[in-house]
Amino acid sequence: MTASAEPEIVSSQKCFGGTQSVYRHHSTETGTSMRFGVFLPPQASAGPVPALYYLAGLTCTEENFIVKAGAQRVAAELGIALIAPDTSPRGLAYPGEDDAYDFGTGAGFYVDATEAPWRVGYRMASYIARELPALINAHLPIDPARTGIFGHSMGGHGALTLALKYPDLYKSVSAFAPIVAPMRCPWGEKALGLYLGPDRAAWQAYDATALVEARGWAGPPILIDQGTADPFLERELKPDLLREACAARGVALTLRLQDGYDHSYFFIATFMADHIRHHARYL
């Protein structure tokens, strides 16, 4: 993919010796203006650094991670760039786009939609895996050969599915409270049905458990943290389904059940350093 024009800086602040910036650009995949956050560690002033993409969950923008996750300190220590895209296109004005928190605006589910009208614009899988990295690699001091991906909830689903589908792009993957089997939970069944249509065979490309069963994963261990007090644990997240699939395929999975933690950014911030250090070992 040819990189588009240099992105516009919306804001930039010095942070732990590096810079925390927000950029805006026009996306050809979504047909809209898209924003993304980038933390560049101080080491980036001397040359390209590895990058870790963070995919946020339902209702979020790029700002949630930047402000709430507490990730910049350890990223600066380890010399890793943090990239935080938005969770959907915004402003396409499709009927129903803003009617629910779990579909449409803020809920792109990191798929390339095939159903009308969503197939025009709701192409977050291609945006995250292709268009955004091409843009960033062309204009920022990032080493494209050292890229990892992680995320939370819907974003954990996105991180897992993209890593499993594109192991050439991502050297490491982890997640906080991910939706590991969207084909078997209400959030996923709603989103995949509306974005991809009724043929459940088409949904398998966006289901981490199904992808592990079909493809495995030859990369380093997958790290997942899951709070035991998460209100969505049994109905929506179902980490045991992924654990069973990984065991059957011989995929290395570290699934840590964190006693008393919920689904919030307090949980994410508590274990963020562990995840960044996990990725740093392989990037």
Side-chain angles (χ1 to χ4, degrees):
M1 175 182 292
T2 301
S4 59
E6 186 170 359
E8 173 190 357
I9 296 178
V10 176
S11 64
S12 186
Q13 287 83 34
K14 189 167 184 177
C15 181
F16 295 109
T19 55
Q20 176 62 65
S21 302
V22 174
Y23 293 86
R24 177 171 49 223
H25 76 112
H26 179 78
S27 167
T28 57
E29 291 289 355
T30 70
T32 65
S33 177
M34 297 291 289
R35 291 165 59 112
F36 59 92
V38 177
F39 172 72
L40 287 178
Q43 295 86 341
S45 63
V49 294
L52 188 51
Y53 284 74
Y54 176 87
L55 306 186
L58 291 166
T59 77
C60 291
T61 70
E62 79 290 339
E63 184 178 14
N64 295 77
F65 174 77
I66 294 169
V67 174
K68 297 180 179 180
Q72 293 93 339
R73 183 190 295 271
V74 69
E77 173 192 334
L78 298 172
I80 294 177
L82 301 171
I83 299 165
D86 203 348
T87 55
S88 77
R90 295 182 187 269
L92 288 171
Y94 292 147
E97 187 177 39
D98 298 317
D99 289 355
Y101 79 95
D102 57 355
F103 183 78
T105 301
F109 265 82
Y110 305 101
V111 306
D112 286 345
T114 56
E115 292 293 292
W118 315 102
R119 64 176 175 242
V120 180
Y122 276 75
R123 295 185 49 79
M124 290 301 293
S126 289
Y127 176 74
I128 297 297
R130 303 296 182 187
E131 183 179 10
L132 184 58
L135 178 74
I136 287 172
N137 295 341
H139 297 292
L140 295 173
I142 299 299
D143 181 354
R146 294 186 290 163
T147 299
I149 191 167
F150 66 152
H152 170 233
S153 194
M154 177 187 72
H157 141 77
L160 290 169
T161 56
L162 288 170
L164 291 166
K165 288 167 67 175
Y166 304 113
D168 57 321
L169 300 180
Y170 304 108
K171 306 305 180 188
S172 56
V173 60
S174 72
F176 302 91
I179 305 169
V180 303
M183 294 177 67
R184 289 183 270 179
C185 75
W187 277 343
E189 288 182 309
K190 175 181 178 178
L192 297 182
L194 292 172
Y195 286 135
L196 303 177
D199 182 3
R200 295 176 69 93
W203 302 5
Q204 295 178 9
Y206 298 105
D207 183 297
T209 299
L211 286 168
V212 165
E213 291 170 346
R215 303 179 179 214
W217 164 255
I222 299 168
L223 172 62
I224 291 177
D225 276 307
Q226 172 64 63
T228 61
D230 191 321
F232 307 112
L233 176 57
E234 299 300 329
R235 180 177 170 86
E236 304 287 1
L237 306 177
K238 304 182 180 183
D240 284 342
L241 295 177
L242 182 64
R243 176 170 24 206
E244 292 165 4
C246 287
R249 284 299 304 257
V251 171
L253 170 67
T254 302
L255 173 59
R256 308 193 306 186
L257 298 178
Q258 304 292 359
D259 187 46
Y261 285 90
D262 61 12
H263 201 69
S264 71
Y265 267 83
F266 296 109
F267 156 64
I268 295 168
T270 300
F271 300 103
M272 178 57 65
D274 289 355
H275 281 246
I276 296 177
R277 293 186 189 283
H278 169 80
H279 289 275
R281 285 196 289 272
Y282 306 107
L283 300 180

